[in-house]
Structure formats: structure tokens, C-alpha cells
Amino acid sequence: MNLQRISAIVVKEWREIVRDRLFFALAFVVPATLTLLFGFGLSLDVENVPLAVVDYDRSALSREYAHRFSDSRYFDFKGQLSDLREADALLMRGQVRAVVVIPEHFEQRLLSGRPAEVQTLVDGTFPFRSLTSKGYITAINASFSAGVLATAIAQTRGVSVEDAAAALQPVPVEVRYLYNQSVKSVWSIAPKLLMAIMMISPPFLTALGIVREKESGSIFNIYSSTVTRGEFLVGKLAPYVGISFLNVLILWVLACFVFGAPFKGNALFFALTALLYVICTTGIGLLVSVAVRTQVAAMLGTAILTIVPAVLYSGILIPISSLSSVATVIAHLLPGMYFANITVGSFLKDVDLGELWPDVLALALYATVLFAAGYRLFHKRTAT
Amino acid sequence: MSAALRRPGLGIWLRRLAAMTRKELLLLLRDPVLLFVIFYGFTFDVYNAASGVTLQLKSAAVAVFDLDRSAASRELASRLQPPQFVPLPPLERGGEGQKLLDRGQALMVLSVPPGFSRDLAAGRTAPVQLQIDATNTALATLGYADATQIITQFGLEQALRRQGISEAAAAELPQVENRVRVWFNPNQEDAWFMGISEMLNVVTAFAILLTAALMVREKERGTIEQLLVSPLSALQITAPKVIAMVIMIHIGISASLLLVLEPLFDVPIRGSLLLFALVTTLYIVTLSGLGLLIATLTRNLAQAAMLGILVLAPMMFLSGVWTPPEAMPPAVRMLVHISPLYYYSDAGYAILLKGAGLDVIWPSVLGIAGLGVLIVASGLSRFRRQFG
């Protein structure tokens, strides 16, 4: 390893990046834009679910039941429908996502002290949304049902409705949300967003940068020079690691000051692990660039290889515990999951090396393996 | 010069188009790594997305810190069961729960205070505490909903028992039962949703990035000059790339649907595949206009790739697949209508999962077509101005 040769390559690469002004600008604009977009827009809160009601009973009680849904902020009441056929058509067109169907004799059954049944049709196209809607529906129904039951018991036992209702709810649940007291989703998303975007952007930059030389043929200058493969790889990748690390800092600033995510952990620990992570993801780009010959393939290959795992397998939308066994294995094979633990720990929990050393170790191992593989596979002589 | 030379007949026009299309297909076929990437995207990638993920609350770890140690508290604890919950061994000391939550080993800790069963038996309220790790909001919300439902039901049963009302008698009391029926995806299989959404995303990514790449490559290598001096119009240069891509993507979609989604995940294909193919073609043509626009704005592939991502990500985001449009801020909700993927995914799910026909999805088709005319026209006109 000759430092002078390495620095010469670093300077050459840096000039090449900076002179392509659009590319240089996009290297910073893309991660920041994605963070702002997803941070402001991505929300898993299921609210304003469009809902309609088919009321076959048309009684005071059935109207009260329907009101419980239309008054809820979780549902956006789209009006009364005349019959099931209309409900069918609206669900099919996606104009409503849930329809509550109240049958005839609803009031009559309840007032005569018998149980009544209501049906809700939910559009299951988006499973997470339909599951959450189901939870709201069950909760609203339970509260209405408890009210009816309390009224009935109050009448038969001769106590007040309030007492009867209290007696029916003997086990109230006191909930405390830890780490994110108000359950703001942007808080929980911002740190993981940093991880996901830094999983996508560095491999792109790196793969394109290396394959560009391969495709344009300028790499033959390297092949015929005294530069060793190690020196070439270090010199070539250093500017991309630098750009990516700068991006981490920018995204960190966005997370803290634009999204107001608290940073409770150790800044130095976070910076060092972030550098390690960026080296890992740059290494992914290196591996892709070794495997492909054209920039088109490099671009699409990195897109397919990084975007899906970054979004799906790293715990940003879906918790690791909800992954299937195959996906859990894949998740463990990628660096994103380990760094997600570190960002979440550093931002929201104030834990550092004492708690997170397994993740740091995994990242270090990952970086070593990637660069060893890249070094082994990168040859100064083409196969053909 | 005769008029016939300046205005070649339709036959020659078509033959030129065919020759150029053949050239584009040959170029694609001669890059085996690229072909593998396309194949991987439509099969393995879709498989991964469909098999890997479930947004349902599944095996969330729950620890119980029981200070009461009574029959009632044990019964309450025993109700937090699979599939939603996985009970952890009971906690001995108070700090243990905090540690489990810190390490992310438990989603929830339920604490039952001393005197729980005594209060319950005496008819007093006996509150319990639930600590939830809210770092993952979605999971915390689902976990909270499920746990409170279970605990409330437990409370109701205890109360009725105390009042001397048997279970059989309780069933005859005036209560409302809400039977929730889920349509189109009755078991709420995440694989159906995730698989299809991934397939639509892959189509989107390839349609934009591949067109942009095929165009920019000609610019970067200088081969565009050769095309410009040939008797080809702008449309004859660009359309063959789109046609080649439409062919590749249709092969990819067929592999996705018939080799992965239908046989491996039992995704029902309820609607007409022909209709889906037609809508897809319209969609790809629309997106290729975007690719063309990107190609006119950039000088090399690296720029085109970054700009492509900058266009692609917001489009996927605004499609409403990840975030329901209803939950978006009103200003963003308006923007949804300029994402072609919004209309395409609407139409795609409707055709594949709901079995909808053109009578239902025509507004979406109109949306794609409207955007398409706008985008392709501006892409072509920029291309003409740049190389005219």
C-alpha cells in the first residue's frame, strides 16, 4: 500500500465526481429529498378510512350505532347506502374501504334483552390497513355493546347506568408507550430512514463510478499502471465513503432538527458506527460493480438488490419479529438490520457500545468480508 | 426530389421500425447480466417481497410481571397467547421488564399490581399497567389494540361471574356482536398484497430506468449521431426502445404471475389477464416518456440513474401503496393524482384481486392515458429540440 498512489487516485476520482456537477449535486440531493419526502409523508397511521353504512333497521339505536363510527376520527363517513349491492359496487371501486351493515330488528332485539349481530365488510386489498381498521371496529363495537349491556343490567338490578358500566369494566389498562411517548410515527421512522437511505445511495454511487471506468475503457489505464488492486479499490472508494458519510451527517441534522427526533445517545459512538455502516454499503456497490460489465446492469442490479431489502427487511416498515424465517435469514445477512438497532438505540434509547456491541461486531465483520470478496474478485486483467 | 422520397410509405416506415426494434432487442439480449437482473427482479425479488413480510402482529414477545400471583392474575396472563403474542418467562424483579424492552426482546410488559385479585373479588376497579415499546409505531398500535381487547374481555367475564351470571346466560344478554368479513383477501395474506405491489414496483423501475438508460447510452457513446444522420424520425428512434422494453416487461410479468405469485402464493387472478396486459402496456408507454425526459436532461448514465431514483421514489411513495392516501396531509393527497403508479396500482389490484373489468377501472385507465399523453408529448418534443 503506497499512500502517495492512493492519494493520487483519490484526487483523480474526486475531481471526476466534482466536475460532473449534476452528478455531484444529485449525490447529495437524492438522499436529502428522499428523507424529507418519506419523513413527512410516510405514515403508518391508519386514519380517515372511508366508511359507509347500510342501515336496514332505521331505528334510533341503529342510528346511534352508526354515529359511533361516523364520529370517530379513524373513519371518514361517506354516507348511508340503500342496500348491499351499492356497498358491493363501492368496495369494488375502492371508494370505501369498510361498510357497516346493520340488520333489521337490531333495536328490537337489543331492547327485548337479546343479543344482536352486525356485519362489517372490509376491503382486504391492503392487509395492514384492514387489520388496523378491524381493530378500530372491534373497539368501537365493544364500547357500544358495553353501553347496551350496562343499560340492561342497570334496569334489572336497579342500579345507575354509570355504576353498572363501571362494574363491567373492572380491569382498566393503563398504557405507557416507551421511547416514543406520543407514538409519533415520524420519530420512529426518521432514524430508520437514515439507515434505509444510506443503504440505497452509497452502492449506487460506487457501482456506477467503478463500472463507468469499465464501460468507457479508462480502466485499462489502471490495469496497465503500477497501482495495485488494493490501492485502486481504497483510492476509488474513499471519495464515495466520504460523500456518504457527509450524507449521514446531513440526514442526522434533518432527523433531529426538521423532524424533531430526539438524539439521546452518544454522538461519537454514532458517528463511528455510521462510518462503519457506510463502508459496508459502499462495499455492496463494489461487489455489484465487480459482477457486471455495463452501467445499465449496474444501475438496475443495485436498485433491485438494495431498495427492497432496505425498505422491507430492515425493520423500517415491518418489525424483524414479523418476518418469515427465510426473510429473517436474509435480514441477518444484510447490514441494514444491525445499523437499524444502532440508530434506534442512539436516537431514542440512549444505549451505546455496552448494549449494542453485537451489532457493531456484525457490521465490522460484514465490512471485512465484503472488501475481502471485492478484493479477491477484482482483477487487473479482464477475463476475455 | 419526388414527394415519395420525402414521405416514405407506411410499409417502409414500419420496416424501419421493425429493424430498429430488432436492434434494441439484440442489444438487450447480448447483455446476459442485465437479462439476469431483469429476470431476478420479476421472480426472486417478487418472491422475497411476497414471502418475507407480514404486517400482522405475529409472535410479539410479551413479558408479565405478576406481583399478585393469584389465580386471577395467572388467568389474565395466560390469555396473551400465540399467534399474536409469545409469552416470555414470568419476570421476577421490576428492572427486568425495562431491560427486555431496552434490548428490544419484548414488545410489551404487563404488570399486575399486588391486591389485583382482592380488588377484583370485592368489585373494585383493579387496574393493570401495560408498557409498550413504541419505537415501531405500527406494531405498538396493533399490540395495544389486541392486548386491551383481551384484557377488557377478561374484565367483562370476571364482572359477569361476580354478578352471578353464567357464561350461558351471558350469551343471552343484550350485546352487539360485530362480524367482520374481509373481502378480496379474506385471510389478509400479506403475500398477495406485497407480491403484487412488488411486481408493480419492478415494472415501474424498469420502465423508467431502462428507457432512460437505453437513450442515454446512445448519447454517452455517441451512437446517437449515427441515428440522427439516418432517415429516422424522433419517433422511429425512441419507439423501438419502448417496444423492446414492453416485450421484456410482459415476459417478466408473465413469469411473475404464472411462475411465482399464482403457484407459490395462491394469489387468485380473478380478472382478465388481457385487460391487465393492455393497461400495463399503456402504463409502460407513459413511463417511457418519463425515461425519455430524464435522458434529455442528462449527459451520462450516472446522472440518469440518480435522476431516475429521484423521480422513481416519490412516484412509488405517492402511489398510495405504502401510505394510504387518506392518511396523507391534504396537500400531498392532491399530488397523488400526478403519480401514474397511483392509477396503475389501483387498476392492477382491482383487476387481479377483485376481478374488476373495464367498467370499474376506466377512471384509472383515463388517468394513466391523460398523464401519458402529457409526458410522452413533452419528452418527444424535448428530444426533437435537442437533436432536431
Side-chain angles (χ1 to χ4, degrees), chain A residues 12-72:
Chain A
K12 170 232 152 218
E13 190 63 25
W14 180 253
R15 279 219 184 113
E16 201 177 340
I17 296 172
V18 175
R19 278 186 188 160
D20 191 341
R21 289 227 193 99
L22 184 61
F23 181 72
F24 186 64
L26 286 173
F28 293 99
V29 169
V30 169
T33 312
L34 295 189
T35 306
L36 289 174
L37 180 72
F38 290 116
F40 278 120
L42 188 67
S43 142
L44 293 172
D45 306 335
V46 178
E47 280 178 19
N48 302 325
V49 178
L51 167 123
V53 174
V54 184
D55 186 355
Y56 284 119
D57 196 38
R58 294 170 191 279
S59 60
L61 212 51
S62 74
R63 268 193 294 279
E64 198 197 318
Y65 187 79
H67 265 296
R68 294 288 183 99
F69 286 90
S70 54
D71 291 348
S72 156

Side-chain angles (χ1 to χ4, degrees), chain A residues 20 42 65 113 116 118 120 122 124 126 129-130 167 170 172 174 176 178-179 183 188 215 294 308 313 322 324, chain B residues 31 48 51 54 101-102 126 128-132 135 137 172 175 177-179 181 183 188 221 300 303 320:
Chain A
D20 191 341
L42 188 67
Y65 187 79
V118 169
T120 308
V122 176
F126 303 102
R129 267 175 248 173
S130 60
E174 295 164 4
R176 214 153 67 83
L178 297 175
Y179 315 121
V183 200
S188 66
E215 201 174 357
T294 57
V308 169
Y313 295 165
S322 297
S324 72
Chain B
D31 190 343
N48 275 347
S51 70
T54 161
L101 290 166
D102 268 349
V128 292
Q129 283 86 37
L130 197 60
Q131 288 170 296
I132 304 181
T135 37
T137 324
E172 285 305 306
Q175 297 185 58
E177 189 187 352
N178 195 330
R179 293 246 165 110
R181 271 183 47 203
W183 277 13
Q188 291 162 89
R221 290 187 179 164
N300 56 48
Q303 294 177 346

Side-chain angles (χ1 to χ4, degrees), chain A residues 211-343:
Chain A
V211 179
R212 177 153 62 174
E213 295 224 28
K214 269 175 142 182
E215 201 174 357
S216 70
S218 60
I219 202 155
F220 284 96
N221 296 336
I222 302 292
Y223 289 162
S224 59
S225 70
T226 51
V227 176
T228 65
R229 334 182 236 172
E231 286 164 0
F232 172 69
L233 290 181
V234 171
K236 185 91 189 170
L237 295 182
Y240 296 106
V241 171
I243 290 179
S244 303
F245 186 65
L246 215 58
N247 269 323
V248 170
L249 297 183
I250 294 174
L251 298 197
W252 181 84
V253 168
L254 287 180
C256 287
F257 297 102
V258 177
F259 298 124
F263 187 81
K264 297 179 181 165
N266 180 337
L268 183 68
F269 168 74
F270 179 71
L272 288 177
T273 46
L275 184 62
L276 189 60
Y277 176 64
V278 168
I279 292 175
C280 282
T281 51
T282 308
I284 295 179
L286 170 66
L287 270 194
V288 171
S289 66
V290 169
V292 303
R293 258 184 304 144
T294 57
Q295 287 188 78
V296 187
M299 165 172 115
L300 291 175
T302 347
I304 295 294
L305 208 65
T306 57
I307 294 180
V308 169
V311 177
L312 295 185
Y313 295 165
S314 45
I316 179 166
L317 285 169
I318 299 106
I320 302 288
S321 65
S322 297
L323 293 177
S324 72
S325 48
V326 182
T328 312
V329 173
I330 299 177
H332 281 86
L333 286 176
L334 292 164
M337 193 193 91
Y338 306 102
F339 190 61
N341 290 339
I342 294 174
T343 46

